[in-house]
Amino acid sequence: MVGLPGSGKTTRARALAARTGALRLTPDEWQTRLFDDDMHHPDHDRRHDEIEAIMWEIAAHILQCGGDVILDFGFWTRAERADFAARAAALGATCQIRFDDVPLDELERRVAARNQDEGGHFVIPIEVLRNWARVFEAPDADELEGRFGG
């Protein structure tokens, strides 16, 4: 699942997991369960990285056993997507991208609405979302066709 907060990644991941039986791994769900809304905690990024590392270990095991995994990580950069595609290939698995190109104004609207809901997610200031949007690299046609890093 590729995209910024509010792009519908987790909603699509849930539906895909229900339809296919694939294991869905969503770091934000684990992080909020373990640490509540720690978005502004100094250890937030370290915690998030550790959760993703543990999830990859689980995913690698499932892939080695022939199962399917949905990584709901966001994958904001081409380099990160190429890295995980190579990891999957090394295990004999293939990587597919699921991405909806949602305009920034719609992402802002969705995140602002979600910020009003209680619990179960991070409150993301709109200016932070805008900063993240400047870093995000949308997948190109090659990536969408399953060709990574080339």
Side-chain angles (χ1 to χ4, degrees):
M1 295 305 191
V2 173
L4 289 164
S7 63
K9 294 182 308 298
T10 300
T11 301
R12 287 191 320 277
R14 285 181 182 131
L16 184 60
R19 190 169 65 251
T20 65
L23 174 66
R24 177 180 61 89
L25 297 170
T26 300
D28 291 354
E29 291 176 350
W30 287 32
Q31 190 151 2
T32 55
R33 182 165 177 185
L34 291 168
F35 306 110
D36 199 29
D37 180 359
D38 75 337
M39 176 67 108
H40 302 290
H41 191 281
D43 287 335
H44 172 84
D45 290 341
R46 182 192 60 77
R47 291 169 173 170
H48 197 83
D49 290 346
E50 286 297 320
I51 289 169
E52 284 188 353
I54 292 167
M55 287 183 162
W56 172 250
E57 291 172 11
I58 294 166
H61 176 75
I62 298 298
L63 293 173
Q64 287 174 317
C65 293
D68 294 323
V69 178
I70 300 166
L71 296 178
D72 184 12
F73 285 16
F75 295 109
W76 293 357
T77 67
R78 287 180 187 89
E80 184 181 23
R81 294 187 294 268
D83 174 49
F84 275 85
R87 292 182 195 191
L91 299 172
T94 59
C95 182
Q96 298 177 2
I97 285 182
R98 297 287 191 265
F99 171 69
D100 286 339
D101 192 7
V102 180
L104 182 57
D105 61 337
E106 178 62 13
L107 294 176
E108 290 176 9
R109 187 194 68 72
R110 292 177 184 181
V111 168
R114 186 169 67 191
N115 285 345
Q116 301 303 309
D117 293 339
E118 299 267 331
H121 60 84
F122 301 116
V123 172
I124 301 170
I126 296 303
E127 190 53 42
V128 170
L129 177 65
R130 290 175 183 154
N131 289 337
W132 291 344
R134 288 190 273 279
V135 174
F136 180 73
E137 298 170 349
D140 61 20
D142 282 338
E143 289 179 288
L144 294 172
E145 291 295 323
R147 296 181 298 270
F148 299 91

